[in-house]
């Protein structure tokens, strides 16, 4: 592979977050995150600015500051969505006064999500950096529901979801489909991790117990996707 430099703006997936049942921490970060594993194989320069819980509005600000300070790379990997489409589950804390369900917005509404992505892509191209999109990893809905229900009003959350944990996945899929349409319209290059994980016979075997983060085997799987697909990415500039 040609020697290239990559800067990454993403969330906990590309940070390498894992949840370990016996750990005292809310989450841990593996040394074997997918990009680090791929870097060892392909030898690219890596500046990974991914942050746990990141959303597009924060990522856009981080990218702006990076560029204002003279930051540059051949490729910029942009990976957002699973936090944007999520909700502030603390609204459902036990004993809390719940607002009307219809007034509870996702962390980043769809229109804002797409606008933020477009701004990030345009900034990259204005600075002669090739943007590369990584899409979403599908939730394991039953496990994610159990995770968000801990310490919260489970019955209220289930009511908000229309009686099914599968609503979590349906909401995420709306953002995934919008992202894929955006990628097509903007002529962007894609790392299709949704296709990879949704095509597994037992995707839960590659995910942590929280239902949203890959486990160590999942990160190895994702690393293999980077190793296979990164050499195919074409620099736009």
């Amino acid at each position: 592979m040609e020697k290239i430099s990559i800067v990454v703006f993403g969330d906990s997936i590309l940070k390498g977050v894992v949840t370990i049942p016996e750990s005292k921490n809310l989450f841990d970060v593996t040394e074997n995150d997918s990009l680090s594993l791929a870097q060892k194989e392909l030898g690219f320069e890596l500046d990974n600015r991914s942050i746990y819980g990141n959303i597009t509005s924060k990522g856009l600000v981080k990218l702006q500051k990076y560029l204002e300070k003279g930051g540059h790379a051949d490729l910029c990997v942009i990976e957002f969505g699973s936090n944007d489409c999520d909700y502030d589950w603390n609204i459902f804390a036990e004993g809390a006064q719940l607002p009307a369900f219809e007034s509870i917005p996702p962390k980043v509404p769809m229109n804002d999500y797409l606008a933020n992505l477009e701004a990030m892509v345009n900034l990259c191209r204005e600075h002669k950096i090739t943007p590369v999109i990584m899409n979403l990893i599908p939730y394991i809905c039953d496990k994610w529901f159990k995770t968000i229900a801990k310490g919260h009003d489970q019955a209220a959350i289930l009511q908000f979801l229309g009686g099914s944990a599968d609503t979590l996945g349906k909401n995420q899929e709306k953002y995934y489909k919008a992202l894929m349409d955006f990628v097509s319209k903007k002529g962007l290059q894609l790392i299709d991790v949704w296709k990879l994980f949704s095509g597994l016979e037992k995707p839960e075997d590659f995910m942590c117990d929280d239902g949203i983060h890959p486990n160590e085997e999942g990160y190895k799987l994702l690393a293999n996707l980077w190793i296979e697909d990164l050499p195919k990415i074409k620099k736009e500039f």
Side-chain angles (χ1 to χ4, degrees):
M1 179 179 175
E2 175 192 359
K3 187 73 172 182
I4 60 170
S5 56
I6 302 175
V7 64
V8 182
F9 292 88
D11 59 27
S12 54
I13 300 295
L14 290 187
K15 182 71 175 175
V17 165
V18 290
T19 52
I20 303 172
E22 60 270 20
S23 174
K24 295 180 181 179
N25 301 321
L26 177 63
F27 61 87
D28 294 278
V29 178
T30 177
E31 294 180 356
N32 296 315
D33 66 275
S34 64
L35 284 166
S36 293
L37 291 174
Q39 182 189 31
K40 291 175 183 177
E41 178 72 21
L42 298 176
F44 52 82
E45 295 178 15
L46 177 63
D47 183 0
N48 191 348
R49 294 169 178 256
S50 300
I51 301 171
Y52 178 83
N54 214 0
I55 53 179
T56 50
S57 52
K58 293 180 180 179
L60 174 57
V61 172
K62 294 286 187 183
L63 176 59
Q64 288 169 332
K65 290 181 177 178
Y66 169 80
L67 295 171
E68 286 169 2
K69 293 180 179 179
H72 187 78
D74 295 311
L75 310 180
C76 178
V77 172
I78 299 170
E79 179 261 325
F80 292 95
S82 290
N83 291 315
D84 295 72
C85 72
D86 199 24
Y87 295 86
D88 179 6
W89 299 111
N90 291 323
I91 293 171
F92 296 90
E94 292 177 351
Q97 183 69 36
L98 289 173
F101 287 161
E102 61 270 17
S103 70
I104 301 174
K107 290 180 180 177
V108 182
M110 178 74 78
N111 288 342
D112 294 339
Y113 170 65
L114 294 173
N116 292 336
L117 286 173
E118 183 167 16
M120 295 180 77
V121 165
N122 290 344
L123 275 171
C124 286
R125 286 174 166 167
E126 287 167 11
H127 288 80
K128 300 192 182 307
I129 301 171
T130 300
V132 178
I133 300 294
M134 187 184 110
N135 58 18
L136 318 181
I137 295 180
Y139 295 148
I140 306 298
C141 293
D142 56 341
K143 291 188 175 184
W144 180 222
F145 175 76
K146 290 177 182 178
T147 300
I148 61 179
K150 291 176 183 175
H152 296 99
D153 186 335
Q154 180 172 330
I157 293 175
L158 196 59
Q159 185 181 349
F160 171 64
L161 295 174
S164 174
D166 289 341
T167 302
L168 294 164
K170 291 176 182 177
N171 288 342
Q172 186 197 31
E173 189 171 7
K174 290 176 183 177
Y175 277 65
Y176 156 73
K177 288 181 177 179
L179 176 59
M180 294 299 286
D181 184 59
F182 171 79
V183 165
S184 177
K185 288 179 178 178
K186 297 291 285 186
L188 293 160
Q189 297 176 87
L190 174 72
I191 303 297
D192 196 350
V193 68
W194 181 283
K195 181 179 179 180
L196 173 66
F197 275 77
S198 63
L200 296 171
E201 184 175 347
K202 288 188 174 182
E204 63 273 15
D205 289 350
F206 296 87
M207 300 290 285
C208 291
D209 286 343
D210 65 2
I212 59 171
H213 294 105
N215 56 25
E216 295 282 353
E217 291 303 311
Y219 282 122
K220 289 178 185 176
L221 195 67
L222 180 51
N224 289 335
L225 181 64
W226 287 115
I227 292 166
E228 180 180 351
D229 283 4
L230 267 179
K232 301 174 186 176
I233 298 294
K234 295 179 173 62
K235 291 192 290 184
E236 295 180 4
F237 307 97

